[in-house]
Amino acid sequence: MIKIALIGFGNVGKSFARVLINRATELTKLGLEPCVIGVLASRGGLINDNCIGGGTLMDLVNKGLYNAPGFKAVNLRDLIKLKPDIAVVSIPPSYRTGEPNLTIYRLLISEGVSVITADKTGLALAYWELINESRARGVFLGFTATVMAGTPVIQLIKGLRGRVVESIEGVLNATSNYVLTLVENGLTMSEAVKKAIEEKIAEPDPAIDLGGLDAAAKATILANVLGLNVSLRDVNVQSLMSLKDDYIKECARRGVRVKQVASISLTSRVLSVKPMEVPTGSVLGSITGNYNALVIRLNDGKEITVIGPTGPAEATAEVMFSDLLEYADLLLTMGKRIKG
Ligand SMILES: NC(=O)c1ccc[n+]([C@@H]2O[C@H](COP(=O)([O-])OP(=O)(O)OC[C@H]3O[C@@H](n4cnc5c(N)ncnc54)[C@H](OP(=O)(O)O)[C@@H]3O)[C@@H](O)[C@H]2O)c1
């Protein structure tokens, strides 16, 4: 059995619950039946040492947590007392401090609870602390959904640790694609930003998507996976917001596009996120909408390119379920020597 805690029950948390209900048999047939022992949001939740059944969990998804029978003002410490094996964390954090998520990860890991998360800030601010602590405590830390969400590039990058990667360039924030396309098509930057926020495509704080913090956090994680020791605060970030509308439109007429490009030089250990002109037909210039792209340059001059979807929440949740399957593999491979 795997005792699972769901911490955060918004778009991603509910989507994950749906995936878990629909795909529980994939774990059951491995002899690791999933048992959700708690669902927590900011004001409390539901905890049950005897497993919250699939029907009840689906009711929480459909009718909400706060009106559910059995809802209590419980907190994370109450949930940890039930000794979950793994917590699936989906809480939006502060990009400046990583909170409340960093405190939540630290507490879970110190209590021997494995973690799966889609939040990039905790790892972008304290990657090696979290990795080293989880190794020391023998717990699993799954973060495949943090970069490009619906396209598991973290696994690709992990698979490249034996190669010599010289640099990576990527378009890692889909919202900036959307806003830039709106400006190319005639809106002003402020109209485009307003529209993206109203449509809930952009975070209400423009510094996150258009200012470059989201892409910087993702680039930081990729760099750390490849062995650098860098923090979100080390990334040289330039916002898109100061670009003139006419400049963006004029680029489109010249056959180039302005994109928010995240660059990682593994050789000089420099990370940046800034607006750049890229040819319209290039990998980075060709993507629009909900897509991200990466160009990975190896020391033998070869390139690996990836274009793939980022969210939405459903795809993110499926990738978090992949992390849960990886955790299950580890339990089976290690004869449960990893905590579980
Ligand atoms: N949405 C996507 O497509 C997507 C894609 C990739 C990654 N992500 C990442 O996934 C995370 C969650 O995103 P989301 O869209 O699911 O957010 P969301 O819809 O705003 O839901 C957030 C949930 O977290 C709960 N919460 C907030 N503070 C909490 C605390 N201290 N303790 C326990 N629960 C708390 C909220 O409770 P209340 O309901 O009480 O407010 C809510 O249930 C973010 O880090 C985001 O960057 C999202």
Side-chain angles (χ1 to χ4, degrees), residues 11 20 29 36 50 71 92 103 117 127 130 138 144 165-166 199 215 218 220 237 267 277 291 304 324-325:
N11 296 317
L20 191 60
K29 71 185 178 204
V36 175
N50 293 321
F71 172 84
T103 300
T117 184
Y127 183 87
L130 295 173
T144 309
V165 177
E166 289 200 331
E199 291 173 352
K218 292 167 175 167
T220 305
V237 181
T267 42
E277 289 182 19
Y291 276 74
I304 297 171
L324 184 61
L325 292 174

Side-chain angles (χ1 to χ4, degrees), residues 7-13 40-43 66 90-93 95 100-101 104 118-120 145 149 203 311-313 316:
I7 304 176
F9 205 58
N11 296 317
V12 174
L40 215 61
S42 67
R43 287 184 272 146
Y66 290 141
S90 56
I91 300 175
Y95 275 72
N101 292 7
I104 290 172
D119 146 50
K120 58 233 67 143
E203 299 279 352
T316 304

Side-chain angles (χ1 to χ4, degrees), residues 62-262:
N62 292 330
K63 299 178 189 162
L65 180 61
Y66 290 141
N67 300 320
F71 172 84
K72 287 198 181 112
V74 283
N75 62 30
L76 184 59
R77 285 184 189 278
D78 298 314
L79 186 47
I80 288 175
K81 281 185 198 145
L82 301 188
K83 299 204 172 306
D85 297 311
I86 192 157
V88 177
V89 182
S90 56
I91 300 175
S94 152
Y95 275 72
R96 286 163 191 87
T97 64
E99 297 298 350
N101 292 7
L102 259 180
T103 300
I104 290 172
Y105 302 146
R106 286 178 177 135
L107 181 61
L108 289 166
I109 293 169
S110 71
E111 295 288 337
V113 182
S114 292
V115 173
I116 293 173
T117 184
D119 146 50
K120 58 233 67 143
T121 57
L123 283 143
L125 288 164
Y127 183 87
W128 287 106
E129 176 206 324
L130 295 173
I131 294 287
N132 290 335
E133 199 55 25
S134 59
R135 286 175 179 164
R137 300 276 173 177
V139 300
F140 172 79
L141 178 56
F143 55 94
T144 309
T146 57
V147 182
M148 285 177 71
T151 305
V153 284
I154 293 283
Q155 300 300 344
L156 169 66
I157 298 290
K158 281 184 180 171
L160 286 171
R161 284 183 292 188
R163 307 289 308 275
V164 180
V165 177
E166 289 200 331
S167 66
I168 299 178
E169 281 193 335
V171 174
L172 296 173
N173 179 271
T175 305
S176 63
N177 286 338
Y178 181 64
V179 167
L180 287 166
T181 307
L182 290 177
V183 177
E184 282 171 14
N185 292 338
L187 293 194
T188 65
M189 178 63 86
S190 53
E191 285 166 349
V193 173
K194 189 162 170 270
K195 183 172 161 65
I197 293 174
E198 278 169 6
E199 291 173 352
K200 297 200 184 313
I201 291 170
E203 299 279 352
D205 175 1
I208 293 176
D209 292 311
L210 306 162
L213 285 177
D214 174 76
K218 292 167 175 167
T220 305
I221 295 174
L222 295 180
N224 282 308
V225 171
L226 283 171
L228 295 195
N229 186 347
V230 285
S231 152
L232 174 56
R233 299 192 181 104
D234 298 323
V235 186
N236 173 7
V237 181
Q238 281 174 36
S239 174
L240 281 176
M241 303 273 290
S242 54
L243 294 180
K244 299 269 180 288
D245 308 336
D246 285 347
Y247 164 71
I248 296 168
K249 288 172 194 149
E250 182 257 329
C251 281
R253 284 193 290 271
R254 277 196 282 124
V256 293
R257 275 203 165 119
V258 182
K259 290 283 180 193
Q260 183 195 64
V261 178

